[in-house]
């Protein structure tokens, strides 16, 4: 086989695989709007791929969930990057981050519920792409004195992540209104992250 | 059948059932130290009850998990009650609460991991018995001006719950040291709950 043709064939196979994966993820998300646990048969049908193809890409349900969640998080991570967290006062950047993070979570509520099915460890891992700019913002604020520096940055990352997810659970449970969440989470987060003044008994 | 004897027989059956449930829960917890997902066969054997008895009390795995988690939470709820949250300054009571809540979570780490398998809604429900005194403390601090009153009490309950559970996940993942958690969670919580002073923009 001439080398150029072999490369070309590989390239076509790669593109077909990518298109299949995208179709499978789209099909899964579409089905999730109506069924909480669509079957692999339904997903293959919705994605117009064969079941062997589906299983080849996603051997287990958890693999598929993880891929769906990962894609959603990557889209939120792009929004977060657009919030330019490296610019301006750290507290204003934090506000932009919370608003963006919340928009991402609430736009993708179905997927958020799905993420809750992943074990906590795996859930945190798929979030890593969105957490890195958050970590950098927190370190910047700690260096400038806008955020407290008596706590590990990693704990402050966990705190922000926990507040956003707690708010999402509260909205899903009807305990909180969607449109107050941004301000609420920001107010709690900035209180927790600012250097304490005076006695903390 | 004379009435006294029938009552006596009922009483004996009730006690036997309670003893079986206790043995099943103890057996499950003991097995969980070594296996992440013990089978019903193993659990029945560890509890020295028949499988029909096990299934009669706990038809599904989720029922059993829920009962194990509930019992652990009730034990923590008793500790929380011992922390006398209704007495003294609200921030000091909050500190006692965080320390107690954390002690409960960390003593029962295996069960905490188990609770993460429950759907968030059901998880929150089984926590209700421990959350009521927390809610009362937060309302008391809001009334006295020690805690902020520009946020719904329910959100502040969620925040505390989320911070304790985030800390537990961080300890489990090796991101945080067990013995700093009490102070860390308290410091973050009190920052988030105290009335904001000055501008919050």
């Amino acid at each position: 086989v001439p080398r150029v043709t072999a490369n070309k064939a590989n390239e076509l196979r790669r593109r077909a695989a990518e298109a299949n994966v995208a179709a499978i993820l789209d099909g899964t998300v579409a089905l999730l709007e109506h069924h909480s646990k669509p079957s692999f048969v339904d997903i293959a049908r919705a994605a117009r791929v064969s079941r062997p193809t589906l299983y080849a890409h996603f051997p287990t349900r958890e693999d598929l969930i993880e891929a769906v969640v990962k894609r959603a998080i990557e889209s939120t991570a792009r929004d977060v990057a657009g919030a330019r967290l490296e610019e301006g006062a750290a507290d204003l950047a934090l506000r932009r981050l919370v608003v963006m993070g919340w928009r991402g979570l609430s736009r993708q509520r179905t997927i958020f519920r799905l993420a809750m099915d992943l074990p906590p460890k795996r859930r945190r891992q798929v979030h890593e792409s969105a957490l890195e700019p958050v970590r950098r913002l927190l370190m910047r604020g700690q260096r400038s004195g806008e955020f407290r520096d008596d706590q590990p940055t990693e704990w402050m990352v966990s705190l922000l992540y926990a507040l956003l997810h707690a708010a999402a659970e509260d909205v899903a449970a009807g305990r909180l209104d969607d449109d107050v969440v941004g301000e609420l989470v920001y107010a709690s987060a900035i209180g927790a992250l600012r250097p304490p003044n005076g006695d903390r008994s």
Side-chain angles (χ1 to χ4, degrees), chain A residues 135-150:
Chain A
R135 191 172 289 129
R136 278 203 303 271
L137 165 61
L138 290 169
M139 288 172 74
R140 175 164 80 88
Q142 287 186 298
R143 273 195 307 271
S144 70
E146 291 166 280
F147 296 153
R148 64 195 304 162
D149 64 357
D150 61 341

Side-chain angles (χ1 to χ4, degrees), chain A residues 37-58:
Chain A
K37 300 222 163 180
S39 70
F40 267 49
V41 177
D42 291 337
I43 292 168
R45 195 178 300 136
R48 296 168 168 274
V49 301
S50 69
R51 269 193 285 165
T53 299
L54 174 52
Y55 282 113
H57 288 295
F58 303 105

Side-chain angles (χ1 to χ4, degrees), chain A residues 129-169:
Chain A
S129 67
L131 291 182
E132 187 46 37
V134 176
R135 191 172 289 129
R136 278 203 303 271
L137 165 61
L138 290 169
M139 288 172 74
R140 175 164 80 88
Q142 287 186 298
R143 273 195 307 271
S144 70
E146 291 166 280
F147 296 153
R148 64 195 304 162
D149 64 357
D150 61 341
Q151 295 194 337
T153 312
E154 243 4 70
W155 164 245
M156 293 158 79
V157 172
S158 295
L159 176 146
L160 275 177
Y161 176 85
L163 291 187
L164 276 170
H165 283 79
E169 281 185 28

Side-chain angles (χ1 to χ4, degrees), chain A residues 36-97:
Chain A
S36 64
K37 300 222 163 180
S39 70
F40 267 49
V41 177
D42 291 337
I43 292 168
R45 195 178 300 136
R48 296 168 168 274
V49 301
S50 69
R51 269 193 285 165
T53 299
L54 174 52
Y55 282 113
H57 288 295
F58 303 105
T60 69
R61 194 182 169 74
E62 199 166 295
D63 295 313
L64 180 54
I65 292 181
E66 188 170 287
V68 168
V69 171
K70 208 166 186 167
R71 192 175 65 161
I73 288 168
E74 279 162 3
S75 135
T76 299
R78 279 190 298 274
D79 292 348
V80 168
R84 309 182 88 75
L85 300 184
E86 64 287 359
E87 290 175 15
D91 58 352
L92 296 179
L94 178 70
R95 183 194 282 270
R96 294 197 297 278
L97 165 68

